[in-house]
Amino acid sequence: MELDNNNHSVFLLYYHLVLVVKYRRKVIDDIVSNRLKEIFEYIAPNYNIALQEWNHDQDHIHVLLKAHPNTALSKFINSYKSASSRLIKKEYQQIKQNLWKEYFWSRSFCLLTTGGVPIEVIKRYIESQGEKI
């Protein structure tokens, strides 16, 4: 496992992000998904975020991303949703017909932390600190 670092810390922060189209409208095909991914990859470096994995269904996207501890994830997500919504509606005019009041993304999002170690292992490790084995 290779850890990331900066001047003052060592870290490995992965997140699973799910963004849903408003009212679950089925407007994401492979072409739209690829464009959404391009926009993500353009904005992400400004927030110390790196895309690890991307996939989509017709009404939502799944993103695995890696971030720094100083990353303001909610600011990044809001910036991405705003920019991608504006660009997708501009570039793919037919999508606007399927949206409600021209909203592309739902206001909410799902953001989950990920890791290679089950939470129970981490709990046992913390509980065992200070004990002599």
Side-chain angles (χ1 to χ4, degrees):
M1 173 173 57
E2 190 172 323
L3 300 173
D4 294 326
N5 62 65
N6 59 23
N7 292 338
H8 304 287
S9 59
V10 176
F11 51 90
L12 187 60
L13 301 172
Y14 286 99
Y15 297 91
H16 177 188
L17 174 64
V18 181
L19 296 177
V20 178
V21 176
K22 186 78 168 181
Y23 301 115
R24 294 261 214 208
R25 304 288 187 187
K26 297 183 182 325
V27 296
I28 301 176
D29 57 15
D30 289 342
I31 294 168
V32 172
S33 175
N34 287 338
R35 183 62 178 126
L36 290 168
K37 182 179 176 184
E38 286 174 0
I39 298 165
F40 188 98
E41 291 175 321
Y42 180 79
I43 295 172
N46 298 328
Y47 291 85
N48 292 319
I49 290 175
L51 175 64
Q52 301 297 302
E53 190 66 41
W54 180 280
N55 208 340
H56 75 280
D57 202 344
Q58 294 178 340
D59 60 359
H60 66 279
I61 60 169
H62 287 269
V63 183
L64 179 63
L65 59 97
K66 197 161 140 181
H68 284 234
N70 63 348
T71 299
L73 289 169
S74 61
K75 286 184 180 180
F76 164 73
I77 294 167
N78 287 331
S79 175
Y80 171 71
K81 286 170 62 176
S82 176
S84 62
S85 175
R86 183 174 26 81
L87 290 170
I88 288 297
K89 289 183 300 188
K90 180 180 177 185
E91 296 171 14
Y92 302 95
Q93 295 287 321
Q94 71 278 11
I95 286 178
K96 289 171 73 170
Q97 298 169 1
N98 295 324
L99 300 176
W100 179 260
K101 294 186 180 179
E102 296 194 22
Y103 293 112
F104 188 82
W105 297 115
S106 170
R107 289 183 62 196
S108 58
F109 58 86
C110 176
L111 183 65
L112 307 165
T113 57
T114 64
V117 179
I119 197 74
E120 290 304 316
V121 172
I122 296 170
K123 283 182 180 178
R124 283 196 305 271
Y125 173 77
I126 292 172
E127 288 169 359
S128 71
Q129 292 304 294
E131 295 177 4
K132 291 188 179 182
I133 299 176

